[in-house]
Amino acid sequence: MNIQFDILKKSRALLLKELDGLTLEQLHEIPNGFKNNIAWNVAHVVVTEQLLHYKLSGLDCLCPDDLIDDYKKGTVPTKVFTEEEFDEVKDLLMGLPDTLEEDFEAGIFENYNEYSTSTGVVLNSMEVAIPFNNFHEGIHYGIVRSIKKFL
């Protein structure tokens, strides 16, 4: 599983690098043809990782409930982050993968509630959920890169 944690950390570093030089206004801009913005995508990957790993394992998520409510699957951008709020999201983006790895190695993920994703993949364990989350984050990394072309 170590390679999966490495992929998660490296992909998040790439996502964070895509934010360099963007203003808060640009992070919230929704270009024509898109239904969300860069800020939403960043918060969404943070929230989804927590839901796929912690919530489906019957554990408490490590990010605020209001963040989950606003950025889980099926939501659209309705809020604008302040600089401070978005800095907190970026801190979660970069810090939570280490916590996930530590928790996995500590064996806290004892149970997993099966979940069928919208892509047709059935998640039935952390050993399936972690690689799937990496796939999911790759999709959103691509979306962020696409949005940037229209800013």
Side-chain angles (χ1 to χ4, degrees):
M1 287 299 288
N2 287 344
I3 188 64
Q4 294 298 328
F5 295 115
D6 289 344
I7 291 169
L8 176 59
K9 292 172 192 177
K10 287 176 181 165
S11 68
R12 287 198 173 188
L14 289 170
L15 180 57
L16 186 65
K17 188 170 174 56
E18 291 296 326
L19 308 179
D20 286 350
L22 296 178
T23 66
L24 200 57
E25 181 180 84
Q26 288 173 313
L27 292 171
H28 290 93
E29 185 177 331
I30 303 174
N32 287 336
F34 290 86
K35 63 180 180 180
N36 51 45
N37 55 42
I38 291 173
W40 183 92
N41 278 275
V42 173
H44 175 71
V45 299
V46 169
V47 163
T48 300
E49 179 273 316
Q50 289 291 294
L51 294 173
L52 292 179
H53 298 143
Y54 288 85
K55 184 173 182 180
L56 288 174
S57 294
L59 301 169
D60 290 335
C61 292
L62 306 177
C63 63
D65 289 341
D66 61 333
L67 193 70
I68 292 171
D69 292 340
D70 292 338
Y71 297 95
K72 64 187 176 185
K73 178 181 171 183
T75 63
V76 294
T78 57
K79 301 198 179 206
V80 174
F81 288 110
T82 65
E83 288 282 353
E84 295 78 21
E85 290 168 337
F86 197 64
D87 284 345
E88 290 175 19
V89 171
K90 290 188 293 187
D91 288 345
L92 291 169
L93 179 78
M94 298 312 295
L96 287 175
D98 288 330
T99 305
L100 174 66
E101 184 174 19
E102 291 166 8
D103 288 346
F104 183 83
E105 289 173 358
I108 73 163
F109 300 103
E110 297 176 0
N111 301 304
Y112 198 87
N113 297 304
E114 189 172 286
Y115 175 72
S116 295
T117 70
S118 58
T119 60
V121 177
V122 176
L123 308 180
N124 56 17
S125 69
M126 285 295 286
E127 289 75 15
V128 176
I130 292 170
F132 177 82
N133 181 69
N134 287 345
F135 161 74
H136 174 262
E137 292 200 13
I139 291 170
H140 287 279
Y141 172 70
I143 293 169
V144 166
R145 288 185 52 125
S146 295
I147 290 172
K148 278 184 71 175
K149 292 178 180 179
F150 293 93
L151 298 180

